[in-house]
Amino acid sequence: EGQARGSLQPNYKLEDDYGVGGAQARFRLLQSEGTNGQPPRALYDAPEITLSLPQARTRAGVGQTLKDLTEHPWAGTDVAMTLVARDEAANEGASAPFEFRLPERPFSKPMARALIEQRRILALDADAQANVLTALNALTIAPERFNMETNVYLGLRSIFWQLTGAKTDDQLRDVVGRLWQMAVAIEDGNVSDAEA
């Protein structure tokens, strides 16, 4: 279940004859089609959560783990989560996949939401670079009509040109990071700095 601030809290039951030595939640994207009908080429690996055990080498018990994945680029996407446990004999057992939307941080300002959407598109499919460039260009066509602050406009143009010149996956990941920072700055102003 998702929590109020966007964290994910899996609740689970563990049973094993030898005792569970470790467990984790693994995720798989449900999106199957990328740009131009090709499979998507994600820039980021799936998040993984190490699950808390009720006690070391537990034979039976219930547990829950709280994990904040709101900054992960997969936040807000439809995923299948499988819980996997290993026992002391190195045997592995897995739950049935559970499909849901990964919790994400809520953004109320339209510009911040638009940037997060473009961030997600680029993070999940590196081949969507041209589509994201078109969207970023459209967001800055008429800044005076949308009361866009100068620093936001200049930041978006800087990100646009950085994305234009990006040739490697690492450079694309830098753009994804800057899109997150810009969206948070637009949404929170100085509040995020104070929280940190």
Side-chain angles (χ1 to χ4, degrees), residues 12-85:
Y12 40 90
K13 180 179 176 184
L14 303 154
E15 289 182 18
D16 188 79
D17 295 343
Y18 297 101
V20 176
Q24 47 181 197
R26 296 180 183 159
F27 299 90
R28 173 180 56 82
L29 277 175
L30 294 179
Q31 171 188 346
S32 61
E33 191 171 309
T35 307
N36 301 325
Q38 299 296 317
R41 188 170 63 86
L43 289 171
Y44 293 86
D45 292 332
E48 282 192 7
I49 301 175
T50 300
L51 301 177
S52 302
L53 302 177
Q55 62 190 36
R57 291 187 287 286
T58 186
R59 290 176 183 255
V62 295
Q64 64 182 23
T65 301
L66 186 65
K67 181 72 173 178
D68 183 359
L69 297 174
T70 55
E71 287 190 38
H72 195 282
W74 284 29
T77 60
D78 294 325
V79 297
M81 177 179 71
T82 305
L83 303 183
V84 179

Side-chain angles (χ1 to χ4, degrees), residues 132-152:
V132 174
L133 279 170
T134 301
L136 289 176
N137 203 31
L139 290 171
T140 57
I141 282 177
E144 68 285 349
R145 297 196 64 197
F146 299 106
N147 296 324
M148 187 181 294
E149 296 175 20
T150 305
N151 61 338
V152 172

Side-chain angles (χ1 to χ4, degrees), residues 110-129:
M111 181 62 76
R113 282 199 315 260
L115 293 179
I116 289 301
E117 180 184 1
Q118 296 309 311
R119 170 189 187 249
R120 186 180 306 120
I121 290 168
L122 184 60
L124 297 180
D125 188 2
D127 297 327
Q129 181 176 356

